[in-house]
Amino acid sequence: MKEKQTDVLVVGSGLVGLVAAHCMSSLNYNVIIVDKKIFNKPKKTPMDIRTVAVSEGSKQFLDSLFLWDGIKSFVEPIKKIKVYDRSPSNKILFENFEVKKQLGYVVENNKLRTFLISKLKDKKNVKIFFETGVKKIKIEESFVKSYCEKLSIKSKLIIAADGKNSYLRKIMGNKIFKKIYSENALVLNFFHEKNLNNTAYEIFYKTGPLAILPMNSKSKFFQSSIIWSNNKLLTQKLLSCSNEFIANILDEKIGDIIGQIMKINSKQTFPLSAHINQTFVNKRIIYVGDSAHSIHPIAGQGWNLGIKDIKNLEFIFKNLSFNKEEIGNEVFCKKYNSMSYKNAFQLYQITDKLNSHFKINDKIYRLLSNAGFGFIENNQQIKNKITKYAMGL
């Protein structure tokens, strides 16, 4: 078995793991990335139709890593967000008035992942091994050794970025708190008639939220993505229905916003769940992104929460004077956990409670909720605070 040596081992080549690798390599650390999956380019993986909502704060972090210039050509800026509770008459409009800043950006997962991998391949201090999963870990006092199928890797630190069902978390016995929701998310990518003019929509129905995210399009038609949370049985049935039937249902619900649906490019369902680890660290292992936490997609902040993990990690490296010998030690890991855990736990709770709030159908409760919507809509100071938080600034 071949042995490799590195400063940092990143397990998982999802978006958060790849950004972590960029961050560590930009700090002049040697990085190895392993992933048990095969890397496929977008044309070979048409079923992954997901999009990422990138906050302004995450955009600025990507820019600090000299990545944004290569990404901005295939993103769609969000300049306004319209939130409806049951109907357009009960609404809140969020706008950003800061020059050269947006509420967020929408980008396709596959395009972003392909770009990040291509840039990493150009770095001399980064090596990537696909079809290489970690099978066993042996932790020593000053390093950790990871055993894969055909090689072993000795590192000072492991960044676990291997997703919701993190294998590293399981073999380390790191417990989680988990909530499984009764809904699935139906995700659609489609061309439509009306220009959304860089406006995203979040519509709260009694069955769950429906988000409309405008996407960058090279077609003569406008392109958007829908994430619609609804009853599991219904979403599964819709998935098996014709595109024409789905288009008719969406026309009834949001036709006044998007106009006629010209073509549904792809459709998929995902089960909805949320979790948070009991801790974000084990000895010489830190957990980032979905391997540490996942939240209800109601606020579109899941990926940005993972980027905050990486920003916290960068802060520790830059500001706390750890040398190479101290990377991954007990003090290092505890500092990361204290910086990341509280914010993740708060957002885990906030998104869960928001989802519950909007599904309550009691008439008096809804009247009070509507009054609250009206109060926020007419109070610019509160709206500015919400907007700034959502932008990650």
Side-chain angles (χ1 to χ4, degrees):
M1 179 179 284
K2 293 182 180 179
E3 181 174 303
K4 302 283 183 182
Q5 193 159 336
T6 189
D7 298 316
V8 180
L9 170 64
V10 178
V11 179
S13 66
L15 297 180
V16 172
L18 294 173
V19 174
H22 273 283
C23 181
M24 296 300 98
S25 64
S26 71
L27 295 172
N28 296 317
Y29 291 100
N30 294 316
V31 179
I32 289 178
I33 306 169
V34 297
D35 197 314
K36 62 183 179 181
K37 297 177 184 176
I38 302 171
F39 170 60
N40 288 316
K41 293 184 178 180
K43 289 182 180 178
K44 296 182 180 180
T45 55
M47 283 306 292
D48 189 358
I49 62 171
R50 293 168 295 175
T51 56
V52 170
V54 180
S55 70
E56 180 66 29
S58 295
K59 176 258 182 184
Q60 291 179 8
F61 182 64
L62 293 172
D63 203 18
S64 74
L65 298 176
F66 303 101
L67 295 170
W68 190 251
D69 280 348
I71 296 169
K72 64 184 181 182
S73 63
F74 52 87
V75 306
E76 185 74 0
I78 300 297
K79 298 180 180 180
K80 297 179 182 179
I81 300 176
K82 293 183 178 181
V83 181
Y84 299 159
D85 186 4
R86 303 295 197 273
S87 74
S89 61
N90 191 28
K91 68 180 186 303
I92 302 175
L93 171 63
F94 294 102
E95 295 181 86
N96 170 54
F97 298 102
E98 293 191 50
V99 179
K100 295 184 179 179
K101 292 181 181 178
Q102 307 292 351
L103 291 178
Y105 308 82
V106 179
V107 58
E108 293 178 55
N109 277 29
N110 260 326
K111 288 183 179 179
L112 181 54
R113 184 168 182 259
T114 300
F115 170 78
L116 292 173
I117 289 173
S118 68
K119 296 296 286 185
L120 284 170
K121 286 181 175 179
D122 293 336
K123 290 177 175 278
K124 293 182 180 179
N125 60 341
V126 177
K127 291 183 174 62
I128 308 175
F129 297 94
F130 291 108
E131 298 182 77
T132 305
V134 175
K135 299 294 184 183
K136 186 174 71 170
I137 290 173
K138 185 178 180 181
I139 299 175
E140 303 289 353
E141 186 61 34
S142 59
F143 66 89
V144 57
K145 202 165 185 179
S146 304
Y147 295 90
C148 305
E149 291 89 343
K150 297 179 182 179
L151 75 156
S152 63
I153 302 166
K154 185 178 177 182
S155 62
K156 295 289 183 183
L157 175 70
I158 294 177
I159 298 177
D162 53 342
K164 272 189 178 185
N165 300 311
S166 170
Y167 182 70
L168 283 183
R169 187 180 64 222
K170 290 175 183 176
I171 63 175
M172 294 305 298
N174 195 332
K175 292 182 172 58
I176 66 170
F177 304 100
K178 186 172 184 179
K179 180 162 187 176
I180 298 175
Y181 293 100
S182 58
E183 301 85 29
N184 278 0
L186 177 66
V187 181
L188 303 171
N189 180 314
F190 61 99
F191 290 124
H192 55 92
E193 178 187 17
K194 286 187 178 180
N195 187 353
L196 298 187
N197 294 309
N198 302 103
T199 302
Y201 291 81
E202 183 94 18
I203 306 168
F204 293 101
Y205 297 109
K206 62 182 180 180
T207 53
L210 185 154
I212 310 170
L213 302 175
M215 297 170 62
N216 185 270
S217 178
K218 306 300 181 187
S219 166
K220 63 180 180 179
F221 298 115
F222 303 103
Q223 187 175 11
S224 291
S225 175
I226 280 180
I227 303 96
W228 186 10
S229 300
N230 213 317
N231 176 276
K232 288 183 179 180
L233 184 59
L234 177 62
T235 54
Q236 288 294 341
K237 284 184 176 179
L238 284 175
L239 195 64
S240 62
C241 291
S242 69
N243 288 348
E244 184 181 4
F245 181 81
I246 295 173
N248 287 336
I249 290 178
L250 291 175
D251 182 59
E252 290 180 13
K253 289 189 169 293
I254 56 173
D256 56 330
I257 296 173
I258 62 174
Q260 183 181 353
I261 292 179
M262 313 309 295
K263 180 185 178 184
I264 293 178
N265 302 315
S266 50
K267 54 188 177 182
Q268 197 167 358
T269 63
F270 297 95
L272 291 180
S273 65
H275 86 279
I276 189 162
N277 291 14
Q278 192 174 48
T279 175
F280 288 178
V281 300
N282 293 119
K283 192 174 181 181
R284 295 204 171 272
I285 301 173
I286 66 166
Y287 298 85
V288 298
D290 281 355
S291 69
H293 46 70
S294 60
I295 60 176
H296 193 285
I298 192 169
Q301 290 296 317
W303 188 75
N304 298 300
L305 188 58
I307 296 301
K308 284 184 181 178
D309 294 338
I310 309 306
K311 290 168 75 173
N312 291 339
L313 190 57
E314 183 192 54
F315 178 87
I316 295 170
F317 273 105
K318 281 186 172 181
N319 295 286
L320 299 184
S321 301
F322 284 97
N323 60 44
K324 281 199 175 185
E325 294 306 312
E326 295 172 317
I327 295 172
N329 69 11
E330 186 177 2
V331 176
F332 182 99
C333 289
K334 281 185 175 179
K335 184 61 182 176
Y336 169 76
N337 193 67
S338 66
M339 288 184 69
S340 296
Y341 198 93
K342 182 179 178 181
N343 185 55
F345 184 77
Q346 286 176 339
L347 203 51
Y348 170 84
Q349 292 286 357
I350 289 169
T351 52
D352 180 61
K353 298 303 181 289
L354 274 175
N355 181 59
S356 298
H357 163 77
F358 284 108
K359 288 171 68 178
I360 295 173
N361 293 308
D362 178 80
K363 288 184 179 180
I364 295 176
Y365 189 94
R366 291 263 56 90
L367 285 172
L368 292 172
S369 176
N370 294 348
F373 249 57
F375 178 75
I376 294 173
E377 171 63 10
N378 294 309
N379 191 312
Q380 193 59 49
Q381 189 176 8
I382 293 178
K383 288 208 295 184
N384 288 345
K385 285 183 179 180
I386 296 172
T387 298
K388 191 172 182 179
Y389 179 81
M391 291 171 69
L393 298 176

